Structure formats: C-alpha cells, structure tokens
Amino acid sequence: MRLLLVEDERPLAEMVRRGLAREGHAVDVRHDGPSGLDAAVHGGYDVVILDIMLPGLSGYRILQQIRGAGVWTPVLMLTAKDGEYDEADAFDLGADDYLTKPFSFVVLLARLRALQRRAGDARPTVLSVGDLRLDPARHRVHRGDAEITLTPREFGVLEHLMRHAGEVVTKTDILRAVWDAHYEGEVNVVEVYVGYLRKKIDAPFGTRSIETLRGVGYRMVAPA
C-alpha cells in the first residue's frame, strides 16, 4: 500500500515508518496539520494514518476538510486519547477506524489490511433510488430538488442501503460497512440511525423508502 502517516511525535513516526516499510509499504510522513492536510487531499494514498493532536491543525479538522473536499481515502485515527466521545467524534467526522496509543504493530497492520479491503469497492458517481440521489464524491443528498443535510454516519448508512437497493440488508451488514471494523457496542444503534434517516429523507416528503423486515433487517425501495 501507499500510506500517509501524519504524526508529530517524530520517534514514533519513524518507528512506524520503518516497520511499515519492512512490510513492503511506501510511507510518506508529515509532522504537522497543514502539510498533512495538503498531502491527504492531493497525494492519492491508499490509507491515511492520522494523529488527532497535531500542531497547526488538529486531526479532527484535517478529517473534516478532506471529507468536505470529496476525498474518500480510508482514514485510521491514531491517538493517545481513549475516551468513547473522542472515538464518536472521529467516526462522526468520517473516520474509518481508530487505534489508541500505545498499540500493537501487528494490530496496526491488520487494521490497515482491513481498510484496504473495505476500500476496494468502486464508488459510483451518483446513487439513485426513485427521486432520492446520493453523490459520494461531493457528499450531498437530494430528494428531487431539495438538498438534505446528513451527518457523516447518517450518510454512510444511507449510502450502504442505496448501494444495495432492493436487497435485504441486516444490521450486522450495516455495522461492518459503516462503523469501526472492531465495533463492540449494541447492534441496535443501527435502528437509531435508520430512524434519523427516515425523519430527514422520508417524513418531510411524505415518502417511505426504508422498509423494516422484522428480525431480518432493512430494504431500500423506490417509493410508489
């Protein structure tokens, strides 16, 4: 893989760079926020490993800006913070995984491989189900001419449902596709986000596009 590591602790950055290089990966390193943002937006990397506490620009701000720019490179947040709210903030801004320092290098490698596999599906230009349209590159959703504002997590759930329109998708499928690959919380969190989506993409328009199949999962359909 071609990797970008944005980490201001230089000894740690060099240790990780050498370890990844020994595994055959090409690694570019940046030690501050602004240069990390520029590299993440323009570098065309397979995965970005991003620290949260950085000089000049935090990892949260970098993540927010690269997603806002339509860059969908998988991002692994690497940080000394370990609170659940820090993790939630990272995922809501569009992170794909989260690893707390100190970490096992073996686990880091495994998570990078998992992110590469999950990034293998090509993103279509625009997904459409009826008059509902989702543009992954621009991170925008429209119902007809009306634009709908979603959080990154809501967007991820909707994108997964629309990719599999007409198919039954289980809660576990959605968790694996949208949440952290190592998420260990309640599966019913998916119900909460489906509820959020219904209030935004259906209720204001008098439509019903997310069906619930009790005991099975959900199905995205074009409203009659």
Side-chain angles (χ1 to χ4, degrees):
M1 286 182 282
R2 185 164 178 262
L3 306 171
L4 172 65
L5 172 62
V6 188
E7 168 60 67
D8 64 327
E9 295 182 34
R10 291 175 182 263
L12 174 62
E14 179 60 15
M15 180 187 71
V16 173
R17 186 199 67 77
R18 289 181 179 178
L20 292 172
R22 283 195 298 268
E23 295 294 323
H25 303 298
V27 187
D28 290 338
V29 179
R30 300 292 185 273
H31 298 295
D32 63 85
S35 66
L37 172 62
D38 183 70
V41 171
H42 302 292
Y45 294 96
D46 295 308
V47 178
V48 174
I49 306 168
L50 180 62
D51 189 24
I52 288 180
M53 304 302 292
L54 293 166
L57 195 67
S58 74
Y60 289 136
R61 292 290 296 158
I62 294 173
L63 180 59
Q64 187 176 40
Q65 291 191 39
I66 64 176
R67 293 299 187 239
V71 176
W72 292 99
T73 304
V75 173
L76 170 67
M77 302 299 287
L78 185 65
T79 176
K81 291 191 173 186
D82 59 359
E84 61 182 8
Y85 290 105
D86 297 315
E87 294 187 33
D89 287 343
F91 289 131
D92 282 341
L93 288 171
D96 297 276
D97 205 349
Y98 189 103
L99 191 58
T100 302
K101 304 173 188 174
F103 57 88
S104 160
F105 188 73
V106 172
V107 172
L108 173 63
L109 288 174
R111 293 196 177 191
L112 290 174
R113 290 192 297 269
L115 288 177
Q116 185 184 38
R117 289 194 300 270
R118 290 165 62 190
D121 296 334
R123 293 179 180 269
T125 304
V126 176
L127 292 167
S128 297
V129 178
D131 66 345
L132 183 68
R133 303 186 312 281
L134 180 147
D135 186 335
R138 294 179 175 82
H139 206 267
R140 300 179 73 177
V141 176
H142 289 81
R143 169 78 76 184
D145 294 329
E147 184 164 5
I148 302 169
T149 301
L150 301 179
T151 67
R153 186 60 55 77
E154 291 166 353
F155 189 94
V157 173
L158 181 60
E159 180 178 358
H160 187 72
L161 289 169
M162 292 182 71
R163 282 180 180 274
H164 299 276
E167 303 174 14
V168 177
V169 181
T170 68
K171 293 177 185 177
T172 301
D173 291 335
I174 296 172
L175 281 175
R176 288 174 177 168
V178 181
W179 269 255
D180 172 17
H182 307 276
Y183 174 79
E184 296 179 352
E186 292 292 330
V187 69
N188 287 338
V189 69
V190 175
E191 290 182 19
V192 175
Y193 277 87
V194 169
Y196 293 158
L197 283 175
R198 284 173 169 152
K199 291 178 182 178
K200 292 185 177 183
I201 69 170
D202 282 338
F205 306 95
T207 57
R208 183 174 178 271
S209 56
I210 304 177
E211 296 181 342
T212 298
L213 287 81
R214 296 199 178 278
V216 181
Y218 302 98
R219 179 167 53 208
M220 192 86 193
V221 297

